[in-house]
């Protein structure tokens, strides 16, 4: 049976063309810092932009518009291709500007776009301002979603916009209309970005650093502009501001949107926010009593891990020397992640909550003398059996990807414990690692790492759909 027809391909290609044009325009924005700092490297941005815009224009005009409605499979194919294309075009930008190998440039670009934040550069402070800004911009765009950003500036039928919106692992709706939802989400995102920049400047951070770091932290990307990351500034005020921004980025946009109408109650009553804050407080307090790590370092790292930001105040070498129990607790938080409907990666709190509620339901049903059906509720609303099953399925698939990557790192001779930490960090788009990722690792591991980051950001299924469709076309 043919699951992908020529009509499907035409529809996907035409819609992808619009996204490719948007990605090309994104590549031109860093020309501003390039001009401001007299770096005179415009071709590094203009050339990839022309490639992306030209290919997008070709796709839009070569593939004819069809009457077929956009389905979920089309949305997933478009989103998977769009993120892959954005990573490749960004890789060309970074490669041309820094003269590093192409695979390293793509790795850096994919890491930034997916909000993972692991850098392949050993000294980021030698990079041009335009590239530092480009990496930050990629994180900011990727935090909300490449397609979500593009949809904000183009008009699409509501049905098509809805499929594309959900294809980037977004289910929340702030308004009945997807178009209005995207507008309101972007508005909230921009407001928090501006607030973060102002707070950093007031704390004494340079303007350029404030802009780039806010882009990185609100998107829970964590790829800062200094080698020591946020630890470079040695300022508790800046650490606290960063913690607040990371928590804002890891909180559902629905909770943010309802704050003015509910006078803050929507945030306090949001079960994901409650669990997020509770875990940060409890784990930080527990690790304080079982280690001699500075309290601020612990609080910052715990927040960074569960929000999947990957920002740090301690170097990879220092973290590698922390007690094994501390690292184990961080790995558990790394699996969980922040709220669904935010900018975070990993499994996400909502799935974890549903999964454990499903386990509790099964226990009560077994203990019940009449084998009665026990309803599962969250925030006063009933949770369907299918949503619990889907949560369990995703968690199992997620762990399978981690196991595969862990095995490969071990095969290449890396320490098993550090390899597991790295695999979990890559799949969860976290970014913290213990010194394994560097320019000298095998190209095979770089490609697998990029696959982890890509699948982690799109929550696996869209990439699997793309692979399945590609396999079908190859067979033909």
């Amino acid at each position: 049976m043919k699951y992908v027809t020529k009509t499907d391909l035409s529809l996907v290609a035409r819609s992808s063309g619009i996204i490719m044009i948007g990605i090309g325009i994104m590549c031109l924005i860093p020309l501003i810092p390039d001009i401001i700092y007299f770096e005179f490297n415009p071709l590094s941005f203009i050339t990839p932009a022309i490639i992306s815009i030209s290919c997008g224009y070709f796709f839009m005009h070569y593939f004819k518009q069809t009457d077929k409605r956009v389905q979920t499979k089309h949305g997933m194919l478009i989103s998977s291709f769009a993120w892959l294309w954005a990573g490749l075009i960004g890789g060309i930008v970074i490669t041309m500007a820094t003269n590093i190998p192409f695979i390293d440039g793509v790795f850096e670009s994919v890491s930034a776009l997916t909000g993972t934040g692991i850098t392949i550069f050993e000294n980021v402070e030698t990079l041009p301002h335009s590239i530092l800004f480009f990496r930050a911009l990629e994180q900011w765009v990727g935090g909300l979603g490449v397609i979500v950003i593009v949809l904000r500036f183009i008009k699409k039928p509501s049905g098509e916009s809805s499929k594309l919106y959900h294809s980037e692992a977004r289910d929340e709706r702030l308004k009945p209309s997807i178009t209005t939802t995207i507008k309101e989400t972007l508005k909230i995102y921009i407001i928090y970005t501006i607030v973060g920049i102002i707070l950093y400047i007031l704390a004494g951070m340079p303007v350029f650093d404030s802009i780039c770091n806010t882009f990185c932290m609100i998107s829970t990307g964590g790829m800062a502009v200094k080698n020591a990351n946020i630890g470079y500034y040695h300022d508790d005020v800046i650490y606290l501001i960063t913690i607040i921004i990371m928590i804002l980025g890891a909180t559902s946009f629905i909770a943010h949107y309802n704050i003015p109408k509910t006078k803050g109650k929507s945030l306090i009553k949001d079960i994901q926010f409650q669990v997020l804050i509770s875990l940060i407080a409890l784990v930080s307090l527990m690790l304080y009593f079982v280690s001699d790590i500075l309290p601020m370092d612990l609080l910052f790292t715990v927040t960074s891990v569960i929000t999947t930001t990957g920002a740090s105040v301690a170097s990879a070498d220092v973290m590698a020397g922390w007690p094994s129990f501390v690292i184990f607790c961080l790995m558990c938080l790394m699996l969980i992640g922040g709220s669904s409907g935010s900018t975070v990666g990993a499994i996400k709190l909502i799935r974890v909550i549903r999964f454990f509620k499903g386990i509790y339901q099964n226990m009560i049903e077994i203990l019940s003398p009449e084998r009665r059906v026990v309803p599962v509720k969250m925030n006063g609303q009933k949770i369907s059996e299918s949503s619990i099953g889907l949560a369990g399925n995703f968690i199992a698939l997620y762990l399978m990807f981690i196991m595969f990557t862990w095995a490969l790192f071990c095969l290449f001779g890396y320490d098993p414990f550090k390899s597991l930490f790295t695999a979990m960090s890559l799949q969860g788009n976290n970014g913290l690692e213990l010194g394994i990722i560097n320019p000298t690792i095998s190209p095979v591991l770089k490609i697998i790492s990029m696959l982890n980051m890509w699948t982690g950001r799109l929550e696996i299924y869209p990439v699997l759909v793309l692979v399945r469709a590609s396999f079908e076309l190859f067979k033909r």
Side-chain angles (χ1 to χ4, degrees):
M1 180 178 178
K2 291 183 178 181
Y3 294 102
V4 181
T5 64
K6 288 184 178 180
T7 305
D8 292 325
L9 289 177
S10 180
L11 193 155
V12 169
R14 184 175 175 82
S15 295
S16 296
I18 301 174
I19 310 299
M20 293 160 79
I21 291 173
I23 292 168
I25 294 171
M26 181 188 74
C27 293
L28 297 174
I29 298 175
L31 286 172
I32 298 172
D34 182 75
I35 294 170
I36 292 174
Y37 290 96
F38 303 105
E39 291 171 347
F40 305 113
N41 196 18
L43 290 179
S44 298
F45 304 99
I46 294 175
T47 303
I50 291 174
I51 293 172
S52 190
I53 292 172
S54 300
C55 290
Y57 184 83
F58 172 78
F59 273 37
M60 285 184 64
H61 289 80
Y62 179 79
F63 294 97
K64 297 179 180 179
Q65 189 158 1
T66 67
D67 295 330
K68 191 169 186 176
R69 295 180 61 184
V70 173
Q71 301 171 16
T72 300
K73 67 177 179 181
H74 300 131
M76 288 189 171
L77 289 170
I78 293 165
S79 66
S80 298
F81 174 77
W83 281 79
L84 182 61
W85 180 261
L88 291 172
I89 292 296
I92 296 174
V93 171
I94 295 172
T95 299
M96 290 184 65
T98 62
N99 296 316
I100 63 173
F102 180 63
I103 190 172
D104 289 357
V106 176
F107 182 99
E108 191 78 7
S109 175
V110 171
S111 179
L113 273 169
T114 58
T116 307
I118 296 178
T119 181
I120 206 72
F121 292 104
E122 294 180 325
N123 185 5
V124 300
E125 293 176 27
T126 62
L127 296 176
H129 288 82
S130 54
I131 290 298
L132 291 173
F133 177 80
F134 179 69
R135 296 190 322 161
L137 179 64
E138 282 192 304
Q139 289 171 88
W140 191 83
V141 170
L144 201 57
V146 174
I147 290 178
V148 171
I149 295 291
V150 173
L151 283 176
R152 171 60 183 89
F153 300 101
I154 61 174
K155 290 185 178 180
K156 283 273 187 183
S158 58
E160 186 171 346
S161 294
S162 177
K163 298 298 182 185
L164 292 173
Y165 181 75
H166 292 306
S167 71
E168 285 194 320
R170 293 197 171 276
D171 296 317
E172 75 284 356
R173 287 199 183 199
L174 310 186
K175 292 280 189 177
S177 164
I178 284 293
T179 303
T180 310
T181 292
I182 291 172
K183 288 181 181 179
E184 294 298 327
T185 302
L186 186 58
K187 185 189 298 183
I188 294 168
Y189 200 49
I190 291 173
I191 290 173
Y192 282 143
T193 301
I194 293 171
V195 170
I197 293 170
I198 293 172
L199 288 176
Y200 273 143
I201 292 174
L202 292 176
M205 188 182 289
V207 174
F208 179 80
D209 291 16
S210 299
I211 294 171
C212 291
N213 286 334
T214 302
F215 278 16
C216 299
M217 302 308 154
I218 195 64
S219 63
T220 60
M223 193 182 280
V225 295
K226 301 295 182 183
N227 293 328
N229 209 277
I230 299 300
Y232 168 87
Y233 302 100
H234 299 289
D235 190 325
D236 285 351
V237 174
I238 288 178
Y239 296 169
L240 286 172
I241 291 171
T242 306
I243 288 170
I244 293 170
I245 295 174
M246 289 191 292
I247 291 173
L248 289 174
T251 303
S252 168
F253 280 103
I254 291 180
H256 289 309
Y257 177 73
N258 290 324
I259 286 176
K261 294 187 291 185
T262 62
K263 297 181 179 179
K265 291 180 181 179
S266 64
L267 194 62
I268 298 171
K269 291 183 178 181
D270 182 67
I271 188 169
Q272 293 188 93
F273 184 77
Q274 293 171 358
V275 175
L276 177 69
I277 297 301
S278 299
L279 284 173
I280 291 173
L282 292 173
V283 175
S284 298
L285 190 63
M286 178 182 67
L287 296 184
Y288 171 73
F289 286 110
V290 300
S291 70
D292 57 358
I293 304 171
L294 293 174
M296 180 56 75
D297 288 8
L298 272 177
L299 178 62
F300 187 99
T301 305
V302 167
T303 305
S304 177
V305 167
I306 195 169
T307 60
T308 71
T309 307
S312 63
V313 292
S315 67
D317 292 336
V318 171
M319 284 187 62
W322 285 359
S324 298
F325 179 73
V326 173
I327 301 297
F328 172 77
C329 291
L330 295 180
M331 290 165 71
C332 292
L333 295 178
M334 196 181 290
L335 275 176
I336 297 170
S339 302
S340 176
S342 66
T343 65
V344 303
I347 293 172
K348 295 186 175 63
L349 285 165
I350 193 69
R351 287 195 182 96
V352 176
I353 294 169
R354 286 173 179 169
F355 182 70
F356 281 105
K357 280 184 173 288
I359 293 174
Y360 181 75
Q361 177 198 34
N362 290 337
M363 289 171 53
I364 297 300
E365 287 179 349
I366 292 170
L367 291 171
S368 175
E370 299 177 1
R371 297 283 294 173
R372 63 190 178 92
V373 177
V374 179
V376 182
K377 293 185 178 181
M378 187 170 64
N379 284 339
Q381 296 182 342
K382 187 177 178 180
I383 306 174
S384 66
E385 293 283 346
S386 61
S387 65
I388 295 173
L390 288 172
N393 291 342
F394 179 83
I395 292 171
L397 188 58
Y398 186 90
L399 294 176
M400 286 171 60
F401 270 72
I402 290 175
M403 294 290 286
F404 175 75
T405 306
W406 181 25
L408 275 182
F409 272 97
C410 291
L411 180 64
F412 278 81
Y414 291 100
D415 176 77
F417 192 70
K418 291 182 179 180
S419 297
L420 178 58
F421 188 94
T422 302
M424 293 170 66
S425 181
L426 289 166
Q427 189 64 41
N429 304 128
N430 194 290
L432 288 176
E433 56 102 21
L434 302 178
I436 289 181
I437 302 295
N438 58 65
T440 63
I441 66 169
S442 167
V444 174
L445 292 181
K446 289 177 183 177
I447 293 171
I448 292 300
S449 296
M450 287 188 276
L451 178 64
N452 283 127
M453 294 187 282
W454 182 34
T455 56
R457 180 58 184 83
L458 289 176
E459 297 194 346
I460 301 175
Y461 283 105
V463 177
L464 293 182
V465 170
L466 178 64
V467 172
R468 176 63 181 81
S470 301
F471 179 69
E472 181 179 326
L473 294 173
F474 178 76
K475 283 198 303 181
R476 293 182 201 170

